[in-house]
Amino acid sequence: QAAPVYLAETAPAKWRGAFTTGFQLFLGIGNLTANLTNYGAARIPRWGWRLSLGLAAAPASVILVGALLISDTPSSLLVRGREEQARAALRRVRGAKADVDAELEGVARAVEAARANEEGAYRRILWRQHRPHLVMAVAVPLLQQLTGVIVIAFFSPVLFQTAGFGSNASLMGAVILGAVNLGSTLVSIATVDRYGRRVLFLTGGLVMIACQVAVAWIMGSQIGRDGESAMARRYSVAVLALTCVFSAAFGWSWGPLTWVIPGEIFPVEIRSAGQGISVAVNLGATFVLTQTFLAMLCSFKYATFLYYAAWVAVMTAFVWAFLPETKGVPLEAMGAVWARHWYWRRFVQPPPAAKDAMLPEVLVN
């Protein structure tokens, strides 16, 4: 929950997408490392599973030590009235010779506007003016899980065994998927601040739909409705290739951007509540889907992938219609973006500070 917000609050506006996407990059590195560990540990009889579990203490130790070495964000420090510490923290991330006064003043205005309201963040997010933020806090993480990627990530060995691979080959397939996802996240880092969030969302969605429909067609024609038929080797390889392309499309779009968008759209007065809701929805959907996927696969069989393809079509249309472009927009000026959107402008009015000081830059972007 804290990492995407921390990255969004400390990154320069023009590179914020790349910095926040870095969160997904290192999730991908961790996923690939875990899959390699599982692949190696599976060859150790009796105690290999203990190795897989126990090595999780290593990254946890790095997180603990790292948290002691970084400073709080300027926004967080200003909320607690520590102006000089906020200035020092901003100068630390911008450089010792950087002129941080203008940026700090913009953050301070947003914090002062937040202090004018005495209600808590979770009550404020229910206000009419925060309707788009609440919708995105729920919809973006929920729709990400409904791509089906979490079940592909968790159950890829089962999926590949269904497609005809052996147990060890299925574990290696999971490793390949992790490597593909990692590479595509690097593509996202390089392009998210150049082409914008919407382009990556839309292209990724179209590719994922095509891949899932193709996998459903292959499995339906080769395994059949009863799921008892054997799949020819060339079709098994095709399923693996299509799953890799799907993973790549997810890796440059919904994977990293699900952390980027919630991290940057919330005003400071509801940022903690918005991010909390977003992460809770993400983890809750993960729990439900991982508990139901195997039963769904046994019942729906190849139609499972058509089910997820339909959801990807819905979410792609949702992004096209309701998610404005946020590339290069300072966090303190984000209200102006919603106020200019064809639908959300009926709920949102930009704060005076954003209108007067930041709107020209938003319009340029």
Side-chain angles (χ1 to χ4, degrees):
Q1 176 175 338
V5 172
Y6 186 93
L7 292 169
E9 289 186 348
T10 56
K14 63 179 179 178
W15 297 329
R16 188 176 60 243
F19 273 88
T20 313
T21 302
F23 179 66
Q24 178 69 21
L25 171 66
F26 286 98
L27 283 180
I29 292 174
N31 183 53
L32 178 59
T33 304
N35 282 326
L36 287 170
T37 301
N38 292 338
Y39 181 74
R43 299 171 178 271
I44 303 174
R46 300 198 335 191
W47 60 273
W49 65 272
R50 297 179 186 273
L51 181 65
S52 293
L53 288 176
L55 285 178
S61 300
V62 174
I63 291 173
L64 177 61
V65 174
L68 299 174
L69 299 178
I70 61 175
S71 63
D72 278 327
T73 67
S75 296
S76 174
L77 291 167
L78 283 174
V79 166
R80 289 174 283 166
R82 303 177 182 178
E83 183 175 348
E84 289 306 314
Q85 288 180 318
R87 189 183 307 277
L90 187 57
R91 185 168 285 117
R92 181 178 180 183
V93 295
R94 297 290 183 266
K97 298 182 179 179
D99 184 6
V100 300
D101 291 339
E103 182 176 358
L104 191 66
E105 183 180 350
V107 176
R109 282 199 301 267
V111 170
E112 286 302 318
R115 283 177 176 168
N117 300 308
E118 296 182 356
E119 292 193 57
Y122 283 95
R123 286 190 177 183
R124 292 181 200 171
I125 202 171
L126 298 176
W127 292 357
R128 177 181 172 83
Q129 69 190 66
H130 296 315
R131 189 71 49 79
H133 308 97
L134 180 60
V135 170
M136 294 300 165
V138 174
V140 171
L142 179 61
L143 292 174
Q144 185 216 38
Q145 297 305 315
L146 289 172
T147 61
V149 71
I150 194 68
V151 294
I152 289 178
F154 283 2
F155 297 110
S156 54
V158 175
L159 176 63
F160 290 141
Q161 281 181 323
T162 303
F165 290 93
S167 58
N168 284 335
S170 298
L171 287 173
M172 180 51 69
V175 172
I176 293 172
L177 282 181
V180 169
N181 188 269
L182 183 61
S184 61
T185 304
L186 290 172
V187 173
S188 183
I189 289 176
T191 58
V192 66
D193 288 316
R194 177 176 297 181
Y195 300 111
R197 285 69 163 145
R198 284 170 55 86
V199 169
L200 297 184
F201 267 130
L202 296 175
T203 56
L206 293 174
V207 173
M208 285 191 287
I209 292 170
C211 290
Q212 287 177 318
V213 171
V215 169
W217 177 79
I218 291 174
M219 297 190 75
S221 63
Q222 295 300 305
I223 297 179
R225 177 63 185 169
D226 58 6
E228 299 296 331
S229 304
M231 183 181 292
R233 184 70 177 178
R234 65 179 182 275
Y235 288 107
S236 298
V237 173
V239 168
L240 175 59
L242 287 167
T243 307
C244 286
V245 176
F246 172 90
S247 183
F250 178 85
W252 80 61
S253 59
W254 281 89
L257 294 180
T258 300
W259 302 110
V260 173
I261 296 300
E264 67 185 6
I265 64 171
F266 299 117
V268 65
E269 65 265 24
I270 61 167
R271 193 167 293 157
S272 59
Q275 188 67 11
I277 292 171
S278 179
V279 173
V281 170
N282 190 302
L283 296 178
T286 300
F287 172 78
V288 172
L289 290 173
T290 51
Q291 299 304 310
T292 58
F293 172 70
L294 290 180
M296 182 184 294
L297 183 62
C298 292
S299 178
F300 288 7
K301 297 186 172 58
Y302 66 89
T304 301
F305 299 96
L306 295 178
Y307 169 82
Y308 286 122
W311 274 113
V312 177
V314 169
M315 56 205 277
T316 302
F318 174 84
V319 167
W320 180 78
F322 295 110
L323 183 67
E325 182 57 67
T326 56
K327 178 187 70 171
V329 181
L331 296 183
E332 295 72 38
M334 203 64 70
V337 175
W338 299 103
R340 289 167 43 232
H341 187 268
W342 71 272
Y343 180 75
W344 299 122
R345 64 188 178 191
R346 69 190 66 187
F347 301 101
V348 179
Q349 291 296 324
K355 286 181 180 178
D356 297 339
M358 307 298 269
L359 189 53
E361 183 176 352
V362 174
L363 291 173
V364 169
N365 282 299

